[in-house]
Amino acid sequence: DTGVSQDPRHKITKRGQNVTFRCDPISEHNRLYWYRQTLGQGPEFLTYFQNEAQLEKSRLLSDRFSAERPKGSFSTLEIQRTEQGDSAMYLCASSVRTGEKGYTFGSGTRLTVV
Amino acid sequence: DAKTTQPPSMDCAEGRAANLPCNHSTISGNEYVYWYRQIHSQGPQYIIHGLKNNETNEMASLIITEDRKSSTLILPHATLRDTAVYYCIALAQGGSEKLVFGKGTKLTVNP
């Protein structure tokens, strides 16, 4: 069990550019979640996958955001035409069904839009 | 999912027990109480969860009142490494099981 890996750890981008983050969940976990966290706040839910199917999306996930989980393994989160308000920590988590042991979170990708 | 209420901050002396309260007066019968913590610059870490009975694991104990309207997370011998933000979350199993985080309690363990 190598945990949940996220790449990159830090990303600085200019406003208007596109960015893509990757999450590698724990291999036997069929559920994968993306969260966003801004300074001083708790993480906010963005979207949820069960295997390769994206089953729920938050209203926070605007048209500029898209997430995929091809083949039900790793996942990517893309932000198009980044804005300064997108600056945040993007967290990925995975779990088995029923959340018996809770989620396992990655260390996150810190995005700074300048 | 039920809303939870936690104090914004608490202090504890190293080596002493840290008791973190959480109110969840509108919790439903099928909602579990989950606790996570987040150490600075890391992702949240699962601690413990329970439904009705008190629970204990290697990290902490969870005491849930009989009416389930509140609970207490107990760290029996707090260390400096326990300094973190602690989140109490009510969650119904089944469905997406997405966690809804509040602002949590910032616990500072002092030497």
Side-chain angles (χ1 to χ4, degrees):
Chain A
D1 179 356
T2 57
V4 176
S5 299
Q6 291 190 247
D7 183 69
R9 288 295 310 275
H10 303 274
K11 178 71 176 179
I12 300 173
T13 190
K14 291 184 178 179
R15 189 173 50 188
Q17 297 295 304
N18 299 343
V19 294
T20 300
F21 311 140
R22 177 180 171 122
C23 171
D24 286 273
I26 293 173
S27 57
E28 63 266 28
H29 285 184
N30 62 339
R31 293 170 171 239
L32 187 146
Y33 303 81
W34 284 97
Y35 283 78
R36 180 175 70 185
Q37 186 173 27
T38 53
L39 201 62
Q41 303 297 316
E44 297 172 294
F45 170 79
L46 291 179
T47 191
Y48 153 65
F49 289 86
Q50 185 165 323
N51 299 311
E52 68 276 9
Q54 187 174 18
L55 296 184
E56 188 169 343
K57 292 194 294 186
S58 163
R59 287 175 298 174
L60 293 174
L61 215 64
S62 75
D63 291 345
R64 297 184 297 106
F65 287 70
S66 63
E68 294 182 341
R69 192 183 181 197
K71 303 178 184 178
S73 56
F74 71 92
S75 177
T76 58
L77 178 68
E78 180 183 16
I79 308 174
Q80 296 182 327
R81 305 181 302 281
T82 52
E83 302 172 356
Q84 286 189 321
D86 297 331
S87 295
M89 174 76 82
Y90 289 84
L91 293 160
C92 175
S94 69
S95 76
V96 295
R97 196 174 183 280
T98 77
E100 186 59 32
K101 290 279 189 181
Y103 295 7
T104 301
F105 279 85
S107 296
T109 293
R110 166 89 46 204
L111 173 65
T112 303
V113 181
V114 297
Chain B
D1 295 321
K3 180 180 170 60
T4 61
T5 305
Q6 300 177 253
S9 64
M10 293 183 64
D11 284 272
C12 176
E14 188 179 18
R16 304 297 294 268
N19 299 302
L20 291 89
C22 179
N23 286 323
H24 32 79
S25 58
T26 60
I27 196 168
S28 300
N30 65 339
E31 287 182 310
Y32 287 70
V33 179
Y34 278 77
W35 283 83
Y36 283 77
R37 72 179 182 183
Q38 188 171 25
I39 296 169
H40 183 62
S41 296
Q42 296 182 23
Q45 176 190 25
Y46 166 80
I47 301 173
I48 198 168
H49 75 283
L51 183 63
K52 296 180 183 177
N53 301 322
N54 299 336
E55 302 287 345
T56 295
N57 63 19
E58 65 278 4
M59 290 184 69
S61 294
L62 174 60
I63 307 298
I64 302 174
T65 57
E66 194 168 338
D67 63 8
R68 300 205 334 117
K69 293 185 177 181
S70 65
S71 60
T72 301
L73 179 74
I74 300 171
L75 308 178
H77 305 287
T79 71
L80 299 179
R81 289 182 298 178
D82 292 322
T83 291
V85 178
Y86 287 77
Y87 297 100
C88 167
I89 301 166
L91 176 68
Q93 292 189 352
S96 69
E97 297 183 357
K98 65 177 184 281
L99 297 171
V100 179
F101 290 84
K103 292 191 175 183
T105 296
K106 174 63 190 285
L107 174 69
T108 302
V109 180
N110 300 304

